[in-house]
Amino acid sequence: MTASAWITARARGNLDSYLVVSGAVVIWAAGVAAAATWVGDFPLHVATVRTLAADFVHPVDPMVGTGQGSPYYSPYTLTLAAAVRITGAAPATVLGLVGVVNIVLLLVAFRRLVACFSRSAAAATVSLAAMLLLWGPGSPGWSGFPDIRSLAETTPYPSTIGLALMLFLWERLLRYPTAASIATAATIGVLAAAIILIHPFTALETAVGGAAIMVSVARGGPPHGWLLLVAAAAVAALVTMAWPYSSSGDLLAAGSALVEIHRPLRTALLDGGSLICVYGLVALPALALRLRQDRLDPLVLVFALGCAVVAVALASRQYQYLRVIPVMMLPLQVAFGIFVAERVSAPALARIAMAAAAALLVAAGLAVNRAPALGAASAVPLSWLPQSLARPLRTLPVGADPVDRVRDFAPAGATVLTDSPRADRRLYLIGYYSVNPAWPDPWIGDEATRADARDTLLDSATLPAERGVIARRYGARCVLTTRSPGVTQIDGYQRVASWPGGRLFCTSTGSAPA
């Protein structure tokens, strides 16, 4: 929208509220990228992009620097790696910038999805606000969850662009009965293949929501259209199987590790201190009204199937499937937005009551948990914030962490053995590999063996000679300890730095001793 069009629309009282709110969200995303207060899995994504940029043909594992290929190497990370190679920019910088692009795509996709149910800009605006804020007193804090606090940490993650692509695919499915064609079916197939390769958990969400939508829209459309869709799905499956950097079954290899990783989601969902979905219950009457009008309403079916998957995940203790929670929440949030927008013509007293109830809901949430405030504050320079908000967001710049001393004694790309996942994650951020992956990595094949070797090296009873053998076995240029005071000597390695609670042992020159 041009400046003159904006002024004209404003004068006529027809300004698109969704564009205005979306503009504010994009500015917020740019602020988040500029503040760069990244935590969580960000070092892993930096390592993934950096390693793939170094070798497009035979990339090693992004955490331990051995083997070949990884499920983390997707079309998304390949694109970012190409950008790093072409521009020479740091992987962290490219990730920060693409985070803004991901938010733009998410906003466009969300508007198109809501438009399948209501053309009202107000409906899209309220639905967007609900998606960002209408969760619970605690933030999920997970990738793939579109609340403002989670997004503040995950805008550059594959899950964010995966979520945007999911909404685009759902929108195409909703419109498919009236727009069935080879081009539309091909678009859906391309989107499906991209989502599977970019973020398999989002692919699961896409499949759950897509199945519910298909049940709803199957009432219409020509028979040949559905055959086209089946063909597109088959081609998408072939594309994913042909992807050269990983196998489509790699995620299944994670086994019980995925269950344990996602156990905190169960706590966040059911624990009385977080209840990450409880605010969404305010939208149940809106969804019930849609059910009364149409028992095959897409939003109702998506919500019902999402709830069923979540219930099965809880009952079977397969907590990785709780990543489907956004599928359960999005229909509530969209239904809430449409319900509110359709009642803007209600009597003034009713509008005031609704506004007061919404304000009270948000105020109550902020009183219990600061997650939305922290999400918004992530876009503000830390020096402008009160300490209560700045402290959880503060991250150490490169060079300020004791782990960064490795840079003085080992070249970038070297392997370091540490005694803590926190140190390993810091190493990924500054350009190193670790002997032990900081996140579960069953694809390297010897994760358990590496863990046993580390435990032996750190045991105070282990002889210096045996420690040296272990470190050399994994090609460690340095050994970094931060909580293992018993490690005072390692054969073949010299203590090159010490600080309270920490020691750094490195080889003098060249690679790790043979």
Side-chain angles (χ1 to χ4, degrees), residues 92-107:
T93 300
V94 172
L95 279 162
L97 292 174
V98 82
V100 182
V101 177
N102 290 344
I103 290 297
V104 172
L105 289 174
L106 180 60
L107 291 168

Side-chain angles (χ1 to χ4, degrees), residues 124 152 164 199 236 246 371 426 451 498:
H199 200 247
S246 62
R426 184 71 182 188
S498 298

